[in-house]
Amino acid sequence: MADEERNQMILLELVKQPHNSVCVDCGAPDPEWASYNLGVFVCFNCAWIHRNLSNKVKSIKLDTWEDSMVETMKSNGNAKAREVFEKAVPYYFYRPLPNDSTVLREQWIRAKYERLEFTGETKYPPPSYTRGLLWKKGKEKTQFNQRKFVLSETEFTLTYYTDDTEIKAPKAVIHIKDLNAMFQPEKIGHSHGLQLTYQGEHCTRNIYVYHENSEDIVTWFNCLRAVRFAYLKTAYPTGSNDELIPMITRNYLKEGYMEKTGPLQSETFRKRWFVLDAQTRKLFYYKSPLDAEELGAIFIGPGKNNYSVKECVPKSARGNKWKYGVTVDTPKRQYIFMCEEEKEQKEWLSALQQKLLDLGKAKLEKICSVQVN
């Protein structure tokens, strides 16, 4: 057997081992790339980032591997790499998933292998990142302006000012218990775009921000997670870390445009931007994706309480241009939505039915229902 064939067979056997069968950085299944200076198996997207960091990366199936490179892979592997590079990852620190934005994935990889932040020799995050400037979208206007943000772990608040002197009264003081943060680069139109959401006096409020520096915006994100985690430990003292970590921040299950009609189902269909939030079990709708406040919200409850979701084609409707319908029944009202494509319809049906109506996550539901005095 030729050396090239033998080496490839060895690599294909190594990547089948449990710890090597997912990307060491984002957890994507069946990685087909590897860094032979680090001795880890990675997916295509993470391999691209490693290559930009000057790590030695090759395709397992397409490239030629020398004996010394294969020996490095045999001697190391994902499990050993995690013991070194992920020895002291804080509980609150966000570990990227396969579909996460590039900025999260890149900064996780840089923090691990370039800055060596989790080897136990440094403490993360630096406290200086609890105060600084971010570019923030205006509530009514599309323009972004610099605003001073101050994050307080002692008061569990995020405050922002219209100027960086903090002389004037703050524009908003957001309690950390109401705050969620998620990266939204495509929606915001900036690769470092971050959406902050909190419960206002009468509605859910959205703030859209970014920072020019990728490390800074991810540090802000993890600082917010750190303070949220500290708050949750106080609010739910009996909750384990495994129970609290999913509650720190969350991404929406599904976002996108649908057409919506009124309660009589004879009104003209209007195009709206919809957001499905699993934790609140609400389907929010907006006039446009970057609106600061929602037009309305629909609570999605369990089937035993007369909530249901199904495919539909309305018999009589005015003004709808789209043909793929979704019906949401609640105890008080039936809602009709129309999707532009069948694929979108199937995705909305799946998200609403399987993610929200299946309330089998008893452990998380129990801790979320705890009342805080």
Side-chain angles (χ1 to χ4, degrees):
M1 182 185 296
D3 291 345
E4 185 176 334
E5 270 184 67
R6 184 190 70 242
N7 285 338
Q8 187 178 81
M9 287 187 65
I10 293 172
L11 290 170
L12 291 175
E13 288 301 313
L14 287 173
V15 81
K16 291 179 183 177
Q17 295 177 3
H19 290 293
N20 296 332
S21 63
V22 297
C23 174
V24 71
D25 295 315
C26 74
D30 305 318
E32 296 187 353
W33 294 73
S35 169
Y36 58 88
N37 64 310
L38 295 171
V40 295
F41 293 90
V42 294
C43 68
F44 172 79
N45 289 326
C46 290
W48 177 78
I49 296 172
H50 276 279
R51 182 165 286 172
N52 286 344
L53 269 60
S54 299
N55 286 325
K56 309 300 183 182
V57 178
K58 280 180 175 286
S59 168
I60 296 171
K61 297 179 178 180
L62 302 178
D63 291 327
T64 301
W65 286 74
E66 298 175 6
D67 292 350
S68 60
M69 299 173 186
V70 175
E71 288 301 316
T72 300
M73 300 304 302
K74 289 169 64 176
S75 302
N76 293 280
N78 291 0
K80 285 188 176 180
R82 289 194 180 101
E83 290 177 3
V84 175
F85 297 108
E86 298 182 25
K87 180 181 178 181
V89 181
Y91 284 111
Y92 60 80
F93 199 97
Y94 187 82
R95 297 168 180 259
L97 299 173
N99 293 325
D100 277 328
S101 62
T102 301
V103 67
L104 270 174
R105 193 192 307 262
E106 178 190 353
Q107 287 305 313
W108 167 246
I109 291 172
R110 286 186 181 275
K112 281 172 63 174
Y113 307 109
E114 188 177 66
R115 300 194 293 268
L116 302 176
E117 291 181 4
F118 312 128
T119 59
E121 299 175 5
T122 60
K123 185 179 179 181
Y124 188 93
S128 60
Y129 282 95
T130 57
R131 184 184 300 267
L133 296 174
L134 293 172
W135 289 93
K136 175 189 170 293
K137 179 188 174 294
K139 183 178 178 181
E140 304 295 340
K141 300 179 180 180
T142 59
Q143 183 178 353
F144 281 77
N145 298 290
Q146 278 198 328
R147 296 290 183 256
K148 180 71 168 288
F149 282 80
V150 178
L151 179 63
S152 171
E153 186 171 351
T154 57
E155 298 179 6
F156 292 133
T157 58
L158 176 67
T159 305
Y160 77 89
Y161 301 81
T162 55
D163 67 292
D164 60 5
T165 63
E166 301 179 34
I167 296 176
K168 297 180 181 179
K171 188 68 174 177
V173 179
I174 304 163
H175 198 287
I176 212 72
K177 74 181 179 66
D178 298 320
L179 184 69
N180 182 47
M182 70 191 89
F183 275 92
Q184 295 273 28
E186 293 183 6
K187 183 176 177 179
I188 294 173
H190 193 285
S191 58
H192 306 159
L194 187 67
Q195 178 175 344
L196 307 177
T197 302
Y198 65 96
Q199 186 60 45
E201 187 176 354
H202 302 294
C203 64
T204 302
R205 178 80 162 86
N206 298 313
I207 295 177
Y208 305 98
V209 299
Y210 70 86
H211 196 288
E212 297 93 337
N213 183 279
S214 59
E215 182 181 348
D216 284 356
I217 195 63
V218 173
T219 303
W220 265 105
F221 177 63
N222 280 300
C223 283
L224 289 168
R225 286 179 57 88
V227 178
R228 273 280 299 170
F229 185 61
Y231 163 76
L232 290 170
K233 295 289 283 186
T234 302
Y236 308 113
T238 61
S240 68
N241 289 336
D242 287 341
E243 291 170 323
L244 296 178
I245 287 169
M247 298 169 61
I248 300 177
T249 58
R250 63 193 183 277
N251 293 329
Y252 290 138
L253 289 180
K254 172 73 177 166
E255 287 188 84
Y257 281 111
M258 289 192 289
E259 290 182 330
K260 174 186 177 297
T261 188
L264 299 179
Q265 298 181 16
S266 59
E267 297 92 333
T268 301
F269 276 81
R270 299 185 186 279
K271 185 177 177 181
R272 295 289 182 254
W273 181 264
F274 286 84
V275 167
L276 187 57
D277 185 353
Q279 188 160 302
T280 62
R281 303 216 307 262
K282 287 183 178 180
L283 181 64
F284 297 96
Y285 56 93
Y286 303 84
K287 189 174 182 180
S288 61
L290 294 181
D291 284 356
E293 298 175 354
E294 84 268 13
L295 295 175
I298 303 162
F299 180 77
I300 309 294
K304 64 180 182 180
N305 293 347
N306 297 319
Y307 289 86
S308 67
V309 179
K310 58 182 180 291
E311 181 179 345
C312 78
V313 178
K315 295 180 179 178
S316 60
R318 292 193 307 117
N320 64 304
K321 300 177 181 178
W322 298 343
K323 307 300 180 185
Y324 301 97
V326 174
T327 298
V328 175
D329 284 304
T330 74
K332 294 183 178 180
R333 177 183 162 185
Q334 183 183 74
Y335 294 86
I336 301 292
F337 310 113
M338 303 301 293
C339 302
E340 184 176 16
E341 298 178 356
E342 186 178 9
K343 176 177 178 291
E344 280 288 302
Q345 178 198 48
K346 300 302 182 187
E347 289 177 358
W348 278 112
L349 287 168
S350 176
L352 286 161
Q353 291 171 339
Q354 298 176 21
K355 303 296 184 180
L356 294 185
L357 299 183
D358 178 12
L359 304 178
K361 298 179 180 178
K363 190 177 291 186
L364 184 57
E365 285 294 313
K366 182 178 179 181
I367 195 169
C368 285
S369 66
V370 173
Q371 297 297 316
V372 183
N373 295 326

